[in-house]
Amino acid sequence: KAGSPRADALTAEGRALRLLSQDDAAEEMLRAAIDLVEAELSELPVDESSSGTVLSAKLGPYRELLDLLVEQGCARDALTVAERMRARSLRQTLEYGRVDLSAGLDAAKRDEERTLERTLAEVNRKVVATSGAAERTRLQQERDEARRALRQFRSELYAMHPSVDRRRPEGALHGDLQPSIPAGELVLELAVLDQAVFVFALHDDDVAVHRIAISRPAFERRIDAFVSSLEQRALGYMEPARALYDLLLAPVARPLGAATKLRIVPDGVSWRIPFHALVDRRGKHLAERMPVAYSPSLAMARMASTK
Protein backbone atom coordinates (compact mmCIF):
# COMPACT_ATOMS: atom_id res chain seq x y z
CA LYS A 1 0.00 0.00 0.00
CA ALA A 2 1.20 3.53 -0.73
CA GLY A 3 -0.29 5.37 2.20
CA SER A 4 -0.68 4.65 5.88
CA PRO A 5 -4.21 3.94 7.20
CA ARG A 6 -3.42 5.39 10.64
CA ALA A 7 -1.68 8.48 9.28
CA ASP A 8 -4.38 8.94 6.65
CA ALA A 9 -7.04 8.78 9.36
CA LEU A 10 -5.23 11.37 11.47
CA THR A 11 -4.78 13.64 8.44
CA ALA A 12 -8.47 13.35 7.57
CA GLU A 13 -9.37 14.17 11.17
CA GLY A 14 -7.03 17.16 11.05
CA ARG A 15 -8.75 18.45 7.91
CA ALA A 16 -12.16 18.00 9.52
CA LEU A 17 -11.07 19.89 12.62
CA ARG A 18 -9.80 22.74 10.43
CA LEU A 19 -13.24 22.99 8.83
CA LEU A 20 -14.68 23.29 12.35
CA SER A 21 -12.14 26.06 13.12
CA GLN A 22 -10.51 23.89 15.80
CA ASP A 23 -7.00 24.74 14.67
CA ASP A 24 -5.12 23.66 17.81
CA ALA A 25 -6.68 20.21 17.71
CA ALA A 26 -6.08 20.01 13.97
CA GLU A 27 -2.40 20.84 14.43
CA GLU A 28 -2.10 18.13 17.07
CA MET A 29 -3.63 15.51 14.75
CA LEU A 30 -1.41 16.50 11.85
CA ARG A 31 1.79 16.46 13.90
CA ALA A 32 0.83 13.02 15.19
CA ALA A 33 0.31 11.87 11.58
CA ILE A 34 3.77 13.15 10.65
CA ASP A 35 5.35 11.26 13.55
CA LEU A 36 3.66 8.07 12.33
CA VAL A 37 4.79 8.63 8.75
CA GLU A 38 8.40 9.12 9.74
CA ALA A 39 8.42 6.06 11.96
CA GLU A 40 6.79 3.92 9.26
CA LEU A 41 9.16 5.10 6.54
CA SER A 42 12.13 4.19 8.70
CA GLU A 43 10.79 0.61 8.91
CA LEU A 44 10.11 0.12 5.17
CA PRO A 45 12.65 -1.48 2.85
CA VAL A 46 14.67 1.22 1.06
CA ASP A 47 13.32 0.45 -2.42
CA GLU A 48 9.70 0.59 -1.23
CA SER A 49 9.97 3.67 0.98
CA SER A 50 11.82 5.60 -1.71
CA SER A 51 9.35 5.03 -4.52
CA GLY A 52 7.74 8.28 -5.71
CA THR A 53 4.23 6.88 -5.27
CA VAL A 54 4.81 5.76 -1.68
CA LEU A 55 6.54 8.93 -0.60
CA SER A 56 4.06 11.30 -2.27
CA ALA A 57 1.15 9.48 -0.62
CA LYS A 58 2.78 9.86 2.78
CA LEU A 59 3.48 13.60 2.56
CA GLY A 60 -0.18 14.58 2.93
CA PRO A 61 0.00 15.55 6.63
CA TYR A 62 3.08 17.71 6.01
CA ARG A 63 1.26 19.65 3.29
CA GLU A 64 -1.90 20.00 5.39
CA LEU A 65 0.04 21.26 8.42
CA LEU A 66 2.02 23.63 6.23
CA ASP A 67 -1.20 25.10 4.86
CA LEU A 68 -2.63 25.47 8.38
CA LEU A 69 0.44 27.25 9.73
CA VAL A 70 0.56 29.66 6.78
CA GLU A 71 -3.14 30.40 7.30
CA GLN A 72 -2.37 31.20 10.94
CA GLY A 73 0.47 33.53 9.96
CA CYS A 74 3.14 31.34 11.57
CA ALA A 75 5.81 31.82 8.90
CA ARG A 76 8.77 30.39 10.82
CA ASP A 77 6.85 27.32 11.98
CA ALA A 78 5.56 26.77 8.45
CA LEU A 79 9.11 27.04 7.08
CA THR A 80 10.29 24.40 9.55
CA VAL A 81 7.54 22.04 8.37
CA ALA A 82 8.45 22.72 4.73
CA GLU A 83 12.09 21.93 5.48
CA ARG A 84 11.11 18.82 7.42
CA MET A 85 9.11 17.63 4.41
CA ARG A 86 12.09 18.29 2.15
CA ALA A 87 14.40 16.48 4.54
CA ARG A 88 12.17 13.41 4.44
CA SER A 89 12.06 13.44 0.63
CA LEU A 90 15.80 14.03 0.29
CA ARG A 91 16.68 11.40 2.83
CA GLN A 92 14.59 8.78 1.05
CA THR A 93 16.23 9.74 -2.25
CA LEU A 94 19.72 9.49 -0.81
CA GLU A 95 18.95 6.16 0.83
CA TYR A 96 17.59 4.89 -2.47
CA GLY A 97 20.93 5.88 -4.00
CA ARG A 98 22.64 3.76 -1.35
CA VAL A 99 24.22 6.72 0.43
CA ASP A 100 24.88 5.51 3.97
CA LEU A 101 23.42 8.32 6.07
CA SER A 102 24.50 6.64 9.31
CA ALA A 103 28.06 5.71 8.40
CA GLY A 104 30.27 6.27 11.41
CA LEU A 105 27.64 5.16 13.92
CA ASP A 106 27.86 1.90 15.76
CA ALA A 107 24.99 -0.60 15.73
CA ALA A 108 23.89 0.43 19.22
CA LYS A 109 23.33 4.05 18.16
CA ARG A 110 21.42 3.00 15.05
CA ASP A 111 19.23 0.69 17.15
CA GLU A 112 18.66 3.38 19.79
CA GLU A 113 17.42 5.84 17.17
CA ARG A 114 15.05 3.28 15.64
CA THR A 115 13.76 2.38 19.11
CA LEU A 116 13.01 6.03 19.91
CA GLU A 117 11.20 6.40 16.57
CA ARG A 118 9.13 3.27 17.21
CA THR A 119 8.31 4.42 20.74
CA LEU A 120 7.01 7.74 19.46
CA ALA A 121 4.92 6.00 16.79
CA GLU A 122 3.46 3.57 19.33
CA VAL A 123 2.46 6.34 21.74
CA ASN A 124 0.80 8.15 18.84
CA ARG A 125 -1.21 5.02 18.05
CA LYS A 126 -2.37 4.86 21.68
CA VAL A 127 -3.38 8.53 21.63
CA VAL A 128 -5.52 7.93 18.57
CA ALA A 129 -7.08 4.75 19.98
CA THR A 130 -8.01 6.03 23.44
CA SER A 131 -11.41 7.56 24.18
CA GLY A 132 -11.01 8.60 27.83
CA ALA A 133 -10.13 12.24 28.42
CA ALA A 134 -7.82 11.58 31.38
CA GLU A 135 -5.99 8.76 29.62
CA ARG A 136 -5.67 10.84 26.47
CA THR A 137 -4.09 13.69 28.43
CA ARG A 138 -1.62 11.28 30.04
CA LEU A 139 -0.71 9.78 26.67
CA GLN A 140 -0.29 13.19 25.10
CA GLN A 141 2.21 14.06 27.81
CA GLU A 142 3.97 10.76 27.18
CA ARG A 143 4.07 11.56 23.47
CA ASP A 144 5.60 14.99 24.15
CA GLU A 145 8.29 13.29 26.22
CA ALA A 146 8.95 10.80 23.43
CA ARG A 147 9.34 13.65 20.93
CA ARG A 148 11.73 15.48 23.23
CA ALA A 149 13.75 12.31 23.78
CA LEU A 150 14.15 11.76 20.03
CA ARG A 151 15.12 15.41 19.43
CA GLN A 152 17.60 15.32 22.29
CA PHE A 153 19.13 12.07 21.04
CA ARG A 154 19.62 13.49 17.55
CA SER A 155 21.03 16.76 18.85
CA GLU A 156 23.62 14.85 20.89
CA LEU A 157 24.23 12.47 18.00
CA TYR A 158 25.00 15.28 15.55
CA ALA A 159 27.21 17.02 18.11
CA MET A 160 29.28 13.86 18.57
CA HIS A 161 29.22 12.84 14.88
CA PRO A 162 29.36 15.98 12.70
CA SER A 163 29.85 13.87 9.57
CA VAL A 164 26.42 12.28 10.14
CA ASP A 165 24.92 15.74 10.56
CA ARG A 166 26.35 16.80 7.18
CA ARG A 167 25.07 13.69 5.39
CA ARG A 168 21.54 13.85 6.77
CA PRO A 169 19.34 16.52 5.16
CA GLU A 170 17.45 17.04 8.42
CA GLY A 171 20.62 17.55 10.46
CA ALA A 172 20.69 21.33 10.15
CA LEU A 173 17.11 21.61 11.36
CA HIS A 174 18.24 21.20 14.97
CA GLY A 175 19.47 24.80 15.00
CA ASP A 176 18.09 28.13 13.90
CA LEU A 177 17.82 28.31 10.11
CA GLN A 178 18.21 32.07 9.93
CA PRO A 179 21.97 32.51 10.69
CA SER A 180 22.85 30.54 7.54
CA ILE A 181 21.81 33.44 5.28
CA PRO A 182 24.68 35.81 4.37
CA ALA A 183 24.13 39.55 4.45
CA GLY A 184 22.60 40.83 1.23
CA GLU A 185 21.31 37.42 0.16
CA LEU A 186 17.62 36.75 -0.32
CA VAL A 187 16.42 33.16 -0.10
CA LEU A 188 13.14 32.20 -1.71
CA GLU A 189 11.85 28.77 -0.80
CA LEU A 190 8.82 27.41 -2.65
CA ALA A 191 6.25 24.87 -1.51
CA VAL A 192 3.86 23.65 -4.19
CA LEU A 193 0.53 22.37 -2.86
CA ASP A 194 -2.58 21.25 -4.71
CA GLN A 195 -4.34 24.62 -4.58
CA ALA A 196 -1.59 27.09 -3.74
CA VAL A 197 2.08 27.90 -4.03
CA PHE A 198 3.82 29.27 -0.95
CA VAL A 199 6.88 31.49 -1.36
CA PHE A 200 8.97 31.90 1.78
CA ALA A 201 11.24 34.95 1.73
CA LEU A 202 14.22 34.95 4.09
CA HIS A 203 16.60 37.88 4.45
CA ASP A 204 18.35 39.65 7.31
CA ASP A 205 16.31 38.70 10.40
CA ASP A 206 13.01 38.35 8.61
CA VAL A 207 10.98 35.33 7.50
CA ALA A 208 7.81 36.01 5.53
CA VAL A 209 5.53 33.74 3.54
CA HIS A 210 3.30 34.65 0.60
CA ARG A 211 0.39 32.48 -0.48
CA ILE A 212 -0.26 32.43 -4.22
CA ALA A 213 -3.70 31.06 -5.05
CA ILE A 214 -3.09 28.83 -8.05
CA SER A 215 -3.81 25.15 -8.57
CA ARG A 216 -1.01 22.73 -9.30
CA PRO A 217 -2.29 22.01 -12.86
CA ALA A 218 -2.56 25.74 -13.65
CA PHE A 219 0.94 26.32 -12.28
CA GLU A 220 2.29 23.46 -14.38
CA ARG A 221 0.67 24.92 -17.50
CA ARG A 222 2.40 28.26 -16.94
CA ILE A 223 5.74 26.53 -16.48
CA ASP A 224 5.18 24.40 -19.57
CA ALA A 225 4.43 27.51 -21.65
CA PHE A 226 7.64 29.19 -20.52
CA VAL A 227 9.91 26.16 -20.87
CA SER A 228 8.45 25.26 -24.28
CA SER A 229 9.06 28.77 -25.60
CA LEU A 230 12.67 28.59 -24.44
CA GLU A 231 13.20 25.15 -25.97
CA GLN A 232 11.78 26.36 -29.29
CA ARG A 233 13.84 29.57 -29.08
CA ALA A 234 10.63 31.49 -29.68
CA LEU A 235 10.89 35.27 -29.61
CA GLY A 236 7.72 35.39 -27.55
CA TYR A 237 9.36 33.69 -24.55
CA MET A 238 9.46 37.00 -22.68
CA GLU A 239 5.70 37.04 -22.19
CA PRO A 240 5.52 33.78 -20.16
CA ALA A 241 8.82 34.76 -18.49
CA ARG A 242 7.24 38.01 -17.34
CA ALA A 243 4.04 36.20 -16.27
CA LEU A 244 5.98 33.82 -14.02
CA TYR A 245 8.02 36.72 -12.64
CA ASP A 246 4.83 38.57 -11.73
CA LEU A 247 3.34 35.45 -10.20
CA LEU A 248 6.28 34.33 -8.05
CA LEU A 249 8.57 37.33 -7.55
CA ALA A 250 6.28 40.36 -7.54
CA PRO A 251 5.09 39.50 -3.98
CA VAL A 252 8.72 39.82 -2.78
CA ALA A 253 9.57 42.93 -4.80
CA ARG A 254 10.85 44.93 -1.82
CA PRO A 255 13.44 42.45 -0.44
CA LEU A 256 14.34 41.42 -3.99
CA GLY A 257 15.11 45.02 -4.87
CA ALA A 258 17.52 45.29 -1.94
CA ALA A 259 19.24 41.92 -2.50
CA THR A 260 22.68 41.43 -4.03
CA LYS A 261 22.27 37.67 -4.46
CA LEU A 262 19.30 35.36 -4.81
CA ARG A 263 19.07 31.73 -3.73
CA ILE A 264 16.11 29.67 -4.92
CA VAL A 265 14.91 26.53 -3.14
CA PRO A 266 12.42 25.04 -5.62
CA ASP A 267 9.80 22.40 -4.92
CA GLY A 268 8.31 19.79 -7.19
CA VAL A 269 7.49 21.07 -10.66
CA SER A 270 9.08 24.46 -9.90
CA TRP A 271 12.48 22.78 -10.36
CA ARG A 272 11.77 23.12 -14.09
CA ILE A 273 11.79 26.92 -13.90
CA PRO A 274 15.05 28.65 -14.89
CA PHE A 275 14.48 31.53 -12.49
CA HIS A 276 17.53 33.39 -13.78
CA ALA A 277 15.72 33.75 -17.14
CA LEU A 278 12.58 35.35 -15.70
CA VAL A 279 11.95 38.90 -16.87
CA ASP A 280 10.97 41.86 -14.69
CA ARG A 281 8.80 44.83 -15.61
CA ARG A 282 11.76 46.70 -17.06
CA GLY A 283 12.45 43.84 -19.45
CA LYS A 284 15.58 42.72 -17.58
CA HIS A 285 16.38 39.09 -16.92
CA LEU A 286 16.87 38.25 -13.27
CA ALA A 287 20.42 37.08 -14.00
CA GLU A 288 21.23 40.58 -15.25
CA ARG A 289 20.39 41.99 -11.85
CA MET A 290 22.16 39.58 -9.52
CA PRO A 291 23.71 36.10 -9.21
CA VAL A 292 21.11 33.34 -8.86
CA ALA A 293 21.88 30.07 -7.06
CA TYR A 294 19.78 26.97 -6.40
CA SER A 295 19.63 24.57 -3.43
CA PRO A 296 17.56 21.44 -2.74
CA SER A 297 16.76 22.74 0.75
CA LEU A 298 17.66 25.56 3.08
CA ALA A 299 19.16 23.09 5.52
CA MET A 300 21.48 21.64 2.88
CA ALA A 301 22.50 25.12 1.75
CA ARG A 302 23.44 25.83 5.35
CA MET A 303 25.48 22.62 5.55
CA ALA A 304 27.35 23.52 2.36
CA SER A 305 28.14 27.02 3.64
CA THR A 306 29.58 25.71 6.94
CA LYS A 307 31.96 23.13 5.44
Side-chain angles (χ1 to χ4, degrees), residues 83-84 86-88 90-91 101 113 117 154 158 164-165 167-175 297 299-300 303:
E83 281 288 300
R84 190 174 176 184
R86 289 174 188 277
R88 172 48 60 189
L90 288 167
R91 184 170 184 178
L101 299 176
E113 184 175 31
E117 288 174 340
R154 285 178 172 161
Y158 296 146
V164 176
D165 183 4
R167 280 192 300 272
R168 290 184 172 189
E170 75 272 24
L173 292 176
H174 291 275
S297 75
M300 293 192 78
M303 284 186 269

Side-chain angles (χ1 to χ4, degrees), residues 17-244:
L17 289 166
R18 286 189 68 187
L19 291 173
L20 296 172
S21 299
Q22 298 181 29
D23 288 352
D24 290 345
E27 181 177 344
E28 181 182 343
M29 290 296 104
L30 295 170
R31 290 191 183 279
I34 289 171
D35 289 338
L36 281 172
V37 166
E38 297 196 345
E40 290 173 359
L41 283 173
S42 69
E43 296 293 327
L44 285 174
V46 169
D47 288 356
E48 183 180 348
S49 67
S50 299
S51 86
T53 301
V54 170
L55 188 57
S56 178
K58 289 180 176 290
L59 293 181
Y62 295 84
R63 297 188 182 105
E64 191 73 27
L65 179 57
L66 177 58
D67 190 55
L68 171 61
L69 292 171
V70 170
E71 185 179 81
Q72 293 177 328
C74 303
R76 289 179 185 272
D77 289 342
L79 176 63
T80 300
V81 172
E83 281 288 300
R84 190 174 176 184
M85 180 168 64
R86 289 174 188 277
R88 172 48 60 189
S89 299
L90 288 167
R91 184 170 184 178
Q92 298 305 118
T93 301
L94 291 171
E95 286 176 345
Y96 187 67
R98 302 300 190 271
V99 176
D100 186 357
L101 299 176
S102 296
L105 300 183
D106 57 32
K109 287 293 183 185
R110 292 191 184 97
D111 290 344
E112 185 176 355
E113 184 175 31
R114 292 192 184 101
T115 297
L116 289 168
E117 288 174 340
R118 285 194 293 267
T119 298
L120 177 55
E122 182 58 33
V123 175
N124 266 319
R125 292 187 185 103
K126 291 178 180 178
V127 170
V128 174
T130 190
S131 57
E135 179 65 5
R136 186 181 182 86
T137 299
R138 186 190 69 78
L139 288 170
Q140 287 171 337
Q141 293 173 346
E142 186 177 337
R143 182 185 60 198
D144 291 342
E145 287 297 324
R147 283 178 179 160
R148 281 193 290 269
L150 181 58
R151 284 198 299 267
Q152 180 65 26
F153 171 83
R154 285 178 172 161
S155 295
E156 294 174 357
L157 178 71
Y158 296 146
M160 292 186 295
H161 301 277
S163 63
V164 176
D165 183 4
R166 288 193 296 269
R167 280 192 300 272
R168 290 184 172 189
E170 75 272 24
L173 292 176
H174 291 275
D176 183 11
L177 294 171
Q178 196 64 24
S180 64
I181 301 173
E185 181 172 311
L186 171 66
V187 177
L188 298 181
E189 176 161 333
L190 278 69
V192 181
L193 277 65
D194 289 339
Q195 297 299 325
V197 175
F198 296 139
V199 179
F200 293 90
L202 298 89
H203 63 101
D204 299 329
D205 295 323
D206 186 55
V207 178
V209 60
H210 304 271
R211 187 184 194 276
I212 300 169
I214 186 170
S215 69
R216 190 188 302 266
F219 188 44
E220 291 176 351
R221 285 194 295 272
R222 291 207 186 190
I223 295 171
D224 288 342
F226 177 41
V227 174
S228 295
S229 65
L230 288 177
E231 291 174 344
Q232 296 168 14
R233 300 184 179 182
L235 293 177
Y237 82 91
M238 292 188 71
E239 184 177 345
R242 168 70 183 277
L244 275 176

Side-chain angles (χ1 to χ4, degrees), residues 243-263:
L244 275 176
Y245 183 98
D246 288 345
L247 180 73
L248 299 174
L249 301 183
V252 295
R254 180 171 294 181
L256 185 62
T260 57
K261 180 180 179 181
L262 178 64
R263 181 173 298 277

